[in-house]
Structures are given as structure tokens and as C-alpha cells.
Amino acid sequence: MTSEAVCRRRGFDPAALAAIGPELAAFVDRGELAGIVSLTSRGGEIVHAETIGWRDVETKSPMRPDTLFRIASMTKPITSVAAMMLVEEGRIALADPISRWIPELADLRVLRDAAGPLDDTVPARRAITVEDLLTHRSGIAYAFFSEGPLKLAYERALGDPAMNRSTPDEWLAALGTLPLAYQPGDRFHYGHSTDVLGFLIGRVAGKPLRQVLQERIFAPLGMADTDFWLPHAKRDRLASLYGYDETAGRLAKVEPVMYDEPPAYTPGGGGLISSAPDYHRFARMLLRGGELDGVRLLRPETVNLMRTNRLIDAQRQIPFAGMPLWQTCGFGLGLAIAEDSTGNPYACGAPGSMTWRGIFGTWWQADPVNDLIMIYLIQHQVPVSAGTGATIATGRGAAGRRALPVYQRGTYAALSHVVEQAT
């Protein structure tokens, strides 16, 4: 919690902000979520911070402000910023074919039907570009967003998308044996594009992606708790991952395997562990046009380019995981952008707000219109596939998705309430 004076100075009704916590705590009290950490700031000043429930239910270890979370696809915006730094330096260009650095992905074949036989393919009409990776229009898939034989082929060739013992070279070679789901540039198809982008960054920089991010983003921004690897000394701060056992009617811990040493495989699309304070600094940098506390990572025009929609009208008609996401959001270079918040639980802010969530329920948003940052962190696993848009929004197992709008709506209502009183 923060002081009433800070809340009022930043245009919030303190009582309305304070009412959010009990509503969120109800999800923990009912045994639907283990715990929640949230952080809200305006004008760079924290107006509300909440720690609710447990980072580990069994040991009754409470959530803390510095609790660490597997942020999954919240990794993607960070990797995308690193790529845009290279674009600014002229080391890569959005239109460059990625085969220039990743020959494993040259001369690719494309499935005639994304759910059809693996041997029924046609040649790719053009090479995959850097922009294709940033916008998920490369045709590269995820196993869990695939259907038909391609799903199993991905699982067999690439293994676990998060915990993987392959080297980047081995993983890229295996990916190169698989056909694309769609022609490069044809549609937004969520997949390993940002993982490939991360390994491309490593090859361009001549050093592992982990080192690039540490040297160029994490150290300059003071993100000391963000990494692809969690040392043993920090593991007691990590929030445990839970799923909801619908049969038993309770939370069930899911224990991902942990690396004993820094891994060679560092998926830029989903491998980072971070905290609310760390990600707040990253989000502030974007909200301030690429600069924070005298450290500039990107030019303002580059950040504006990142948060400019790149999807054409026909691509926006295609559902995302069964949801009509692109009817209210656009997608830029590594970021989703809110355009119409009406009835949209994914990006609720004013037009231009930046976001991208993680598969374990983590979410953030940077709203430039209101100079507002919101961060919501949980560790809650739900089944995900090509058409799970309806199921991730219903049922006790989807409590994390239902709790998020409570935080979103409550925050904006607290801000709106004060604005209305002042006018």
C-alpha cells in the first residue's frame, strides 16, 4: 500500500484503490489462486502495490514485493527491444531475410493445409524477414497452437519450449527440418518467432542472448532480478506454479525442472524470471520513449514504431486462440497495442497502451495517455491450444484470468472517479 497523499497527488481516489485488494484476495480465500503481486504507478510514482496470498501454499510462504515469477511471454517485449536496438545501430533491418544469419531457416517449405499431412507442402514464396519474427507473421508455430500432424512434429523435434537442453544451434537446426504452418507474411500465427529472434540477436552480436540482455538492458536499467536462470540463493523468492485440479476441486502444484547452471537454451519468447519492481523499470523505459533515469536504450521514434499496428485488415479478422483479439487491439513490433478497450480483458487502457501477457497469467500494461503502468503477477497454469479463448476465461481453473479484470477495472475506476470529481 502507499500513502493517501501520493494517490491523490497522482489523481487517484485512495479508497477506490484500496478496495481492489479485498476483491482480489477473495480469489485466494476461495482457493482458486495461490497469490498475487500487483504494482501500479502514475508519472513514475508508485500509487498502489499489493501482495496477496502465498508464493507457496504448502509452506505458507507469503507473497512479497520482490517475489520472483516466471514471466513467460512477457519476455517477448524485452527481446524485441534488444532487436530494435540493433535496428537503430544499422546491424539489422526489418526487411532483412533472417537466413542471412540463420541459414538453417533458408529454402523452407510451407504446409498446403496447416492441419494437413507434413509431406503436402509448397515452397515458401519469400524468405522470413526480421519484421516477420517481430510480428509473428513468419509462419513458425508453437506445438500447442498447432493442429494435426504439425503439433506432434514440433513436440518431437524441439521438445519442451521452456526447459530445453539443446544449444541454440541444435534447436535452430531441428526447427529447420519442420515445414512452416503458413506462408511468411500471410497471418499472425503465435509461435517460436521471438525465440528465433533472440538467437538471431545472439548471432549478430556474437555472444549469447542472455549476455546481450544483461549488458544492454538489465544492467543499464537496474533489473538485477531478471534472468533466464535462477541461482540457488534466490530460489526461496520464486513463486510456485499451480494449476487447478477441477476433479479434486483444489490447487495442485506444478513443479517445472530448474536448471543447476545457466542454460545454453535461452528462449527469447518466454524464458525469463523477473519481479514486479524489475518489470516496472522496463515498462517505464518504454513509456518514457526509450529512456529511464538518464539511460537511453531506444529513440522515441523507435518506440513509436514498436507501438504502431502492423497487421492488415484481413489479418485482424483471424482469431487469436479463439478470441477476436485484433478487433480491439493492434500488434506492432513485439507489442500489442490497445485501440478500443470496450469489453476487452486483454488490453484495457487508453488507445496506444502497450501490453503482452504471459501464459502463467502474468500481465502488464503501459498507458501513455494516462502515464500509467499496471503490473499483475500470478503463477497459474491453464491448458492452452489453438482455440482455448473461451476456456481460459471460464471455470475456477481460469481464476487468474477472471481476477485480472478486477484489477484493471478497479484501477481505472479509481482514476476516473477523481477525474469526474474535479470537473
Side-chain angles (χ1 to χ4, degrees):
M1 301 295 291
T2 50
S3 72
E4 289 191 7
V6 171
C7 293
R8 294 190 184 281
R9 183 170 66 246
R10 290 300 175 181
F12 281 94
D13 177 357
L17 279 180
I20 298 171
E23 288 192 64
L24 293 176
F27 288 89
V28 175
D29 295 341
R30 291 193 298 266
E32 297 177 41
L33 288 177
I36 304 166
V37 171
S38 65
L39 185 156
T40 306
S41 73
R42 194 175 194 208
E45 191 169 21
I46 295 174
V47 297
H48 190 72
E50 197 92 52
T51 57
I52 299 169
W54 316 103
R55 68 179 185 273
D56 189 274
V57 173
E58 287 74 18
T59 63
K60 296 301 180 192
S61 302
M63 286 288 188
R64 306 185 327 198
D66 67 347
T67 293
L68 300 172
F69 294 81
R70 300 169 180 87
I71 62 171
S73 287
M74 281 173 55
T75 303
K76 288 179 170 71
I78 295 174
T79 301
S80 300
V81 163
M84 296 309 294
M85 293 171 78
L86 297 180
V87 169
E88 282 194 351
E89 294 163 3
R91 301 175 73 178
I92 62 176
L94 294 180
D96 282 343
I98 67 169
S99 55
R100 176 177 170 186
W101 300 278
I102 304 178
E104 296 95 331
L105 299 182
D107 303 319
L108 293 169
R109 306 286 297 182
V110 183
L111 288 174
R112 197 182 305 272
D113 175 357
L118 296 178
D119 57 358
D120 187 9
T121 63
V122 297
R125 290 194 293 265
R126 65 165 176 80
I128 297 172
T129 66
V130 172
E131 180 173 342
D132 291 331
L133 296 180
L134 283 159
T135 59
H136 293 277
R137 294 183 293 186
S138 66
I140 295 169
Y142 274 137
F144 52 82
F145 273 125
S146 299
E147 299 177 282
L150 187 61
K151 177 180 175 66
L152 182 58
Y154 262 88
E155 292 172 348
R156 286 176 172 171
L158 301 182
D160 192 299
M163 181 71 184
N164 201 301
R165 299 295 182 182
S166 300
T167 66
D169 291 351
E170 291 168 343
W171 188 88
L172 288 167
L175 180 62
T177 67
L178 300 170
L180 299 177
Y182 299 98
Q183 288 285 348
D186 269 13
R187 62 163 68 195
F188 183 104
H189 187 65
Y190 204 43
H192 286 289
S193 289
T194 316
D195 298 324
V196 175
L197 181 67
F199 295 137
L200 183 149
I201 291 168
R203 288 188 177 180
V204 171
K207 58 185 70 172
L209 174 64
R210 177 174 182 252
Q211 186 177 346
V212 174
L213 297 186
Q214 287 175 330
E215 293 175 354
R216 305 211 56 182
I217 297 179
F218 302 152
L221 292 183
M223 297 171 64
D225 281 330
T226 305
D227 200 348
F228 288 102
W229 178 65
L230 190 61
H232 285 273
K234 291 186 176 183
R235 290 191 182 179
D236 65 332
R237 291 170 51 197
L238 179 67
S240 297
L241 177 62
Y242 291 88
Y244 193 83
D245 186 331
E246 297 284 358
T247 302
R250 59 177 176 80
L251 291 171
K253 185 182 289 188
V254 181
E255 290 284 7
V257 177
M258 301 290 291
Y259 292 108
D260 290 326
E261 58 187 18
Y265 175 79
T266 51
L272 287 175
I273 293 170
S274 190
S275 66
D278 268 22
Y279 212 89
H280 182 239
R281 293 192 64 77
F282 175 76
R284 285 184 64 204
M285 178 274 298
L286 285 175
L287 198 59
R288 290 173 53 87
E291 178 273 336
L292 181 65
D293 296 339
V295 175
R296 179 161 294 284
L297 300 189
L298 293 173
R299 296 192 293 263
E301 53 267 34
T302 301
V303 177
N304 286 336
L305 188 66
M306 292 182 71
R307 61 185 191 93
T308 299
N309 174 59
R310 314 289 282 196
L311 303 183
I312 64 174
D313 288 344
Q315 292 167 342
R316 299 181 71 159
Q317 303 307 310
I318 301 169
F320 174 80
M323 298 177 288
L325 179 61
W326 309 125
Q327 294 180 19
T328 52
C329 283
F331 197 86
L333 299 172
L335 297 163
I337 310 102
E339 294 178 345
D340 178 6
S341 62
T342 305
N344 184 357
Y346 197 93
C348 69
S353 297
M354 300 166 275
T355 185
W356 198 246
R357 79 191 310 164
I359 198 171
F360 301 134
T362 57
W363 177 88
W364 71 286
Q365 181 176 265
D367 174 349
V369 172
N370 293 294
D371 199 7
L372 176 69
I373 291 171
M374 301 170 65
I375 297 173
Y376 166 91
L377 302 177
I378 62 173
Q379 294 286 265
H380 194 71
Q381 186 177 64
V382 295
V384 176
S385 67
T388 52
T391 59
I392 65 172
T394 61
R396 296 188 72 188
R401 272 62 176 178
R402 292 187 288 105
L404 174 56
V406 170
Y407 169 54
Q408 294 170 324
R409 289 194 299 266
T411 300
Y412 275 96
L415 178 61
S416 300
H417 181 66
V418 171
V419 170
E420 289 168 4
Q421 285 184 331
T423 56

